Amino acid sequence: SPFRNINLLDSNLFKSRFTKKLRLTQWQAFELLIENKFILFAIYKMGILSFNLIIVYDIHTNTLEVDHSGFLPISKIKFDNSLLKGDSHIHARRSKIEVMNRLEDKFIDVNIDSNLVSLNTRLNIVNQPMVVSIPLSTKHTLYTEKDFMTGKGTYTHESEVHKFDDCSAIMDDHRG
């Protein structure tokens, strides 16, 4: 049956002061299709913690090539207030994800550098963004934006550098 109340801010899960600090408040995630690779990377801000994720899946061989994730102190992540002209990044010991948001100029630059994989790409926006603002309560609203993009750049895995001239990508940004 459908959910009767999807307002997680009022659920029993977030009643204590400690669990309220663990709520997911911001994230920026990207899904890219580069030739035979599906690449997912994301940075998350969850109250007192941050989280990063890098996944690379080979479609043709049906293998997971990279599966990296980790929790970090909140001091390791940065989200600017605007996607129009602002930067987001997370710096960990084994990985770094940097996103230069320039939506007012219709592009985003992405740099990932880790001991497992690296990615440098410029993603160009090809459509109007899908933007939704969902009121969760009188004080809290979830803002979500989805953008479809194309891009080109370089992808490195296990010392093999792959240059690509065409990829499809989706950006998923949430703030709330």
Side-chain angles (χ1 to χ4, degrees):
S1 70
F3 292 106
R4 302 223 184 277
N5 181 0
I6 61 169
N7 185 353
L8 294 177
L9 295 173
D10 292 335
S11 76
N12 289 332
L13 179 65
F14 295 111
K15 289 296 184 195
S16 77
R17 188 182 320 186
F18 176 75
T19 55
K20 282 185 180 182
K21 291 181 179 182
L22 295 179
R23 280 194 311 247
L24 183 60
T25 55
Q26 291 180 307
W27 74 83
Q28 196 167 13
F30 292 83
E31 299 87 22
L32 284 77
L33 184 59
I34 302 172
E35 297 167 358
N36 63 329
K37 307 284 186 204
F38 173 79
I39 300 174
L40 166 69
F41 63 92
I43 57 176
Y44 300 91
K45 181 178 176 185
M46 300 171 11
I48 59 173
L49 294 173
S50 60
F51 181 74
N52 67 345
L53 177 68
I54 303 170
I55 293 174
V56 178
Y57 179 78
D58 189 303
I59 297 167
H60 292 301
T61 63
N62 197 27
T63 53
L64 187 62
E65 293 181 350
V66 176
D67 184 6
H68 168 77
S69 62
F71 286 97
L72 300 161
I74 198 69
S75 61
K76 300 291 185 183
I77 193 168
K78 176 188 173 229
F79 281 100
D80 270 346
N81 291 333
S82 175
L83 292 174
L84 295 177
K85 194 169 192 172
D87 300 335
S88 303
H89 69 253
I90 191 163
H91 293 170
R93 193 173 340 126
R94 296 182 330 177
S95 65
K96 178 171 65 173
I97 299 173
E98 296 177 332
V99 179
M100 189 177 79
N101 298 298
R102 297 296 181 265
L103 295 188
E104 70 182 3
D105 297 322
K106 306 269 191 244
F107 74 89
I108 293 176
D109 284 338
V110 175
N111 295 304
I112 298 175
D113 189 18
S114 78
N115 57 350
L116 301 170
V117 65
S118 68
L119 174 72
N120 298 299
T121 184
R122 172 161 287 186
L123 301 172
N124 297 296
I125 297 171
V126 296
N127 68 326
Q128 290 293 329
M130 183 180 82
V131 178
V132 177
S133 182
I134 305 164
L136 298 176
S137 71
T138 56
K139 295 182 181 178
H140 294 92
T141 301
L142 174 68
Y143 164 88
T144 178
E145 178 172 333
K146 315 276 192 268
D147 290 286
F148 181 71
M149 303 176 209
T150 60
K152 58 183 171 181
T154 59
Y155 161 74
T156 306
H157 179 249
E158 295 180 347
S159 301
E160 289 186 33
V161 178
H162 305 278
K163 187 174 180 178
F164 58 92
D165 293 319
D166 188 30
C167 80
S168 299
I170 296 172
M171 181 197 66
D172 185 15
D173 185 83
H174 290 252
R175 296 166 191 242

